[in-house]
Amino acid sequence: MEDKVQKRISVAGVDPLLLYGRRDAHLTAIERKFSVKVVARGEEVMLEGEPDSVEQAANLLEKLKGLIERGTRLDEADVSFALDFLSEEGKLPPPEVVLSTHRGPIRPRSVGQYLYIQAIRSYDVVFGIGPAGTGKTFLAVAMAVAALKERKVSKIVLSRPAVEAGESLGFLPGDLLEKVDPYLRPLYDALEDMLPPDKLKALLESRTIEVIPLAYMRGRTLNSAFAILDEAQNTLPVQMKMFLTRLGIGSKAVITGDVTQIDLPDPGASGLVQIQKILAGVEGVKFVYLSEQDVVRHKLVRDIIRAYDRFKGEATG
């Protein structure tokens, strides 16, 4: 066994609470991951342990410090991402900002999210499949807005199927567009997080950004567009085919969904379930599967998903 070493890291210039975490939660996670002793005293952190472990822990602390210096407000998800990435990839995650917004930078916060972002960059058609809270839709919209800002596309089209889930459209007030607005609201919410109100209003009015029910996609050809189909688990196979065949020259599509939350009368008729077999192995198409490990909402969301999975397993076992 190698002799233990000590290393001191200066954290002067950053808020210790951001770096250390609430009740030193970030330092505790680093301590467990690298099997090192971590002691924080004011603006200095002392590391003690095996030389390689101390060096890795020191590199991570320096990286986290750098993120804070650039304006990132670290939380447990960021630290967890860095540790998970190190475990799976053998290195610390590279700097990755998907989109800089008026509310701060948007970046991947789990290994699955990082791989999802890389897939969207590299493939023309990407399927993001996983449970609620994994950032499937939010990151896809962020990538679309980034592509529009960088002039890689000239248009964004965001779409969802209007599937009745316990409430009939016919009994909702208003005309058709008003009836389907609740189904489209999550897409507007994502856009509002990324664009100032006046800019978003202008883009919507000019139809540079469209948020429309899936049925309105029929008969269109989308050239130089970034198209997103959300809640795709609630499409029928014919609807899925219709959406995918809208793509024109210079376009990209991201299809997101959660196959555990199908609202169709016959869950087996989901276009998202079927398409995984139809397009398996097709060049230019990528399936990315996110899991509860990629949930970045309230920490209880991950536990709730796991509890449902256990219950389902026991019910079918």
Side-chain angles (χ1 to χ4, degrees):
M1 179 180 292
E2 296 182 82
D3 292 335
K4 291 186 177 181
V5 299
Q6 291 185 346
K7 186 166 186 174
R8 299 180 185 277
I9 305 293
S10 172
V11 297
V14 301
D15 183 347
L17 181 60
L18 286 178
L19 183 60
Y20 301 163
R22 186 171 298 180
R23 297 180 181 176
D24 292 344
H26 301 168
L27 299 183
T28 299
I30 292 171
E31 211 169 34
R32 290 173 179 168
K33 174 64 179 179
F34 299 108
S35 299
V36 297
K37 183 179 180 181
V38 182
V39 178
R41 291 193 179 94
E43 295 184 335
E44 188 176 76
V45 176
M46 193 274 286
L47 305 172
E48 181 179 350
E50 304 296 330
D52 287 347
S53 298
V54 167
E55 194 61 32
Q56 286 183 310
N59 287 341
L60 178 57
L61 278 171
E62 292 286 3
K63 182 177 181 64
L64 297 178
K65 177 185 173 185
L67 288 173
I68 296 172
E69 289 173 338
R70 293 193 293 272
T72 300
R73 297 189 63 82
L74 286 181
D75 58 24
E76 291 183 42
D78 295 306
V79 177
S80 177
F81 168 42
L83 294 173
D84 289 344
F85 194 93
L86 183 61
S87 293
E88 295 189 23
E89 302 295 324
K91 59 183 178 180
L92 293 173
E96 182 75 61
V97 174
V98 174
L99 180 69
S100 295
T101 78
H102 60 298
R103 297 186 179 180
I106 296 173
R107 61 194 186 281
R109 303 177 70 193
S110 73
V111 176
Q113 288 190 355
Y114 175 83
L115 297 175
Y116 181 46
I117 291 302
Q118 300 310 311
I120 294 174
R121 286 203 173 104
S122 302
Y123 292 83
D124 287 337
V125 177
V126 175
F127 290 82
I129 301 174
T134 52
K136 304 182 301 294
T137 303
F138 190 77
L139 288 174
V141 175
M143 290 293 286
V145 173
L148 185 66
K149 285 187 171 183
E150 295 166 10
R151 301 184 184 276
K152 293 179 179 177
V153 297
S154 58
K155 185 179 188 64
I156 295 174
V157 178
L158 310 177
S159 186
R160 271 187 163 199
V163 174
E164 301 176 8
E167 187 172 13
S168 174
L169 282 175
F171 289 97
L172 294 175
D175 59 23
L176 178 60
L177 287 177
E178 290 172 325
K179 289 175 188 290
V180 300
D181 183 71
Y183 293 94
L184 304 176
R185 175 47 47 188
L187 298 174
Y188 285 109
D189 290 343
L191 289 168
E192 288 167 1
D193 278 341
M194 299 171 197
L195 292 165
D198 56 339
K199 180 65 172 177
L200 176 57
K201 181 179 179 182
L203 290 171
L204 289 170
E205 288 179 349
S206 67
R207 298 178 71 83
T208 301
I209 296 179
E210 288 187 76
V211 184
I212 59 176
L214 178 59
Y216 284 36
M217 296 282 286
R218 190 172 299 279
R220 301 183 61 180
T221 299
L222 302 177
N223 292 315
S224 186
F226 197 123
I228 297 173
L229 174 58
D230 192 35
E231 294 290 313
Q233 75 274 8
N234 289 328
T235 62
L236 296 171
V238 66
Q239 293 174 311
M240 178 66 76
K241 180 180 179 182
M242 181 270 289
F243 175 82
L244 291 172
T245 54
R246 298 309 92 199
L247 293 183
I249 303 299
S251 289
K252 183 183 289 285
V254 179
I255 300 92
T256 70
D258 177 1
V259 293
T260 69
Q261 295 192 38
I262 298 173
D263 297 318
L264 298 170
D266 177 11
S270 167
L272 185 60
V273 171
Q274 185 188 84
I275 202 68
Q276 296 176 67
K277 297 179 181 178
I278 294 174
L279 296 185
V282 173
E283 188 175 354
V285 176
K286 180 70 172 178
F287 288 88
V288 178
Y289 295 92
L290 301 161
S291 71
E292 72 274 2
Q293 297 298 324
D294 302 301
V295 171
V296 293
R297 291 181 181 172
H298 191 290
K299 62 182 181 180
L300 275 176
V301 173
R302 183 181 296 185
D303 295 333
I304 290 168
I305 292 170
R306 286 173 176 166
Y308 269 96
D309 288 341
R310 285 196 302 271
F311 178 79
K312 183 178 179 180
E314 292 168 359
T316 57

